[in-house]
Amino acid sequence: MTEPSTFATAAYGGAGWSPRRRDHAGDMGPLWSGGIDSEWKTLRTVLLRRPGPEIAAEDVDAAQQLAPLDLGRAQAEHDRMAEAYRDAGVAVLKVPEVPRPAPNRMFCADLFAMTPQGAILARPASTVRAGEEVAVAHALAAAGVPILRTLTGTATFEGADLIWIDAATCLIGRGLRTNDAAIAQITGLLAEIGLEAVAVDMPFGTMHLMGMLSVVDADLAIAWPRRTPHRAVALMRARGIDVAFLPDADEAQANRGLNVVALGPRRVLMPDGNAAMRGFYEGLGIEVVATPMFELRKAAGAVGCLTGIVARDMG
Ligand SMILES: NC(=[NH2+])NCCC[C@H](N)C(=O)O
């Protein structure tokens, strides 16, 4: 007895075969979640990691922190920040538990960078933070966010070194945390999907590009005088972005007043206690929501560093 031929059935490419026609960019939304094409469009989803006992380092400096942290106060501040996001209508995702958590894992911004089509997983530059990216990969996968790229070889990259200046262009800061190998891999990946990465060198003794530059609207960025790479400023100006330089570098340094996250166009969540910076922002027509960071900043970061940006409005 002969079976009927499978030839010309849909499974073998017959008339009933329905080929996939939409590209990956078109799958963002219908199939996958997440994505940003700016640093300032309405914020929809963030990834956070509430600090736990891991922040209590024996050797504060070796743990890449500035001063010992009080766990209760750090947690309370982190809870306030999460609350500020929820109050602003932003969904808050969490990084799962791991057996031996590293002291800085709460700084989610460093552990991936978001693109319009998915995440680029970080590969942190120090042994202190090596591997923090694994739990973040779990969290992104669980949330249905595509991971476009995991870095390979000796590449090191931290997400806070990548900043979008328009929908097709990002800056990558080359420095202590992000090296040439990572820049080559990220530039190649973005070129594949029609996006451009412009590498800029950062001064010795600085940490991330996020620490010198913040884009808060289609036509406005805040930058640190004499620290922001020349090429970054020139490029932003050429693209019609007004670059406003901080008036009070001391306060920004002490209180991390530049370490903000845009909740939407000209609307930022910033560390509390920065009166001069707040006035400066408001003078530029920026609405400010403040949240306390007096304890958390002892770990050398604030709102921007603690927040992994998963989704904003796009287009
Ligand atoms: N995006 C940031 N600025 N993150 C701050 C990270 C601070 C952390 N102690 C580290 O050294 O990695």
Side-chain angles (χ1 to χ4, degrees):
M1 217 183 71
T2 56
E3 298 279 335
S5 171
T6 59
F7 185 69
T9 62
Y12 289 92
W17 168 250
S18 171
R20 185 173 191 163
R21 298 202 191 278
R22 198 171 59 199
D23 67 5
H24 173 69
D27 286 341
M28 296 302 291
L31 286 190
W32 293 100
S33 299
I36 64 169
D37 65 5
S38 78
E39 302 289 344
W40 52 267
K41 289 178 193 169
T42 302
L43 184 60
R44 297 295 176 191
T45 312
V46 297
L47 179 68
L48 300 180
R49 173 68 232 186
R50 187 177 195 252
E54 77 279 357
I55 61 170
E58 244 169 60
D59 179 342
V60 169
D61 184 50
Q64 297 175 193
Q65 297 175 351
L66 307 178
L69 281 88
D70 177 89
L71 179 57
R73 277 201 290 266
Q75 287 178 329
E77 287 183 354
H78 197 274
D79 292 344
R80 289 274 298 273
M81 181 182 72
E83 211 40 50
Y85 281 124
R86 289 194 198 95
D87 288 349
V90 178
V92 176
L93 307 177
K94 295 184 173 124
V95 182
E97 241 356 289
V98 293
R100 281 176 307 284
N104 291 293
R105 66 166 169 167
M106 64 180 171
F107 291 114
C108 292
D110 301 332
L111 301 173
F112 68 101
M114 192 52 71
T115 80
Q117 298 187 29
I120 301 170
L121 210 56
R123 195 166 179 278
S126 65
T127 55
V128 175
R129 301 200 62 181
E132 287 180 28
E133 66 272 29
V134 177
V136 166
H138 278 275
L140 293 172
V145 178
I147 294 175
L148 285 186
R149 173 97 210 199
T150 302
L151 300 183
T152 56
T154 54
T156 64
F157 166 65
E158 299 188 6
D161 279 334
L162 191 153
I163 295 180
W164 293 96
I165 58 167
D166 64 34
T169 318
C170 66
L171 300 172
I172 304 184
R174 184 193 288 111
L176 179 67
R177 310 292 179 107
T178 295
N179 65 11
D180 281 318
I183 290 169
Q185 291 177 30
I186 294 168
T187 303
L189 163 73
L190 293 178
E192 270 176 33
I193 57 174
L195 304 173
E196 188 188 5
V198 177
V200 293
D201 284 311
M202 299 189 296
F204 185 84
T206 57
M207 194 189 288
H208 294 110
L209 189 60
M210 178 190 276
M212 42 200 85
L213 179 66
S214 184
V215 184
V216 295
D217 203 344
D219 60 356
L220 182 61
I222 316 294
W224 201 304
R226 296 215 161 97
R227 188 186 281 192
T228 311
H230 188 277
R231 189 166 181 208
V233 176
L235 192 62
M236 286 189 288
R237 285 183 171 163
R239 305 269 167 112
I241 302 170
D242 190 21
V243 182
F245 287 96
L246 293 179
D248 183 343
D250 288 346
E251 190 180 278
Q253 176 108 46
N255 288 337
R256 303 195 175 264
L258 183 63
N259 207 256
V260 303
V261 167
L263 298 168
R266 277 181 160 76
R267 183 152 187 268
V268 300
L269 181 64
M270 80 177 289
D272 205 359
N274 289 286
M277 285 279 286
R278 189 178 178 132
F280 171 68
Y281 285 133
E282 286 170 350
L284 292 165
I286 300 169
E287 188 193 329
V288 172
V289 181
T291 193
M293 285 283 140
F294 304 101
E295 197 63 30
L296 287 167
R297 74 181 185 216
K298 295 177 185 169
V303 180
C305 315
L306 291 165
T307 307
I309 307 290
V310 176
R312 294 183 179 277
D313 286 354
M314 292 198 276

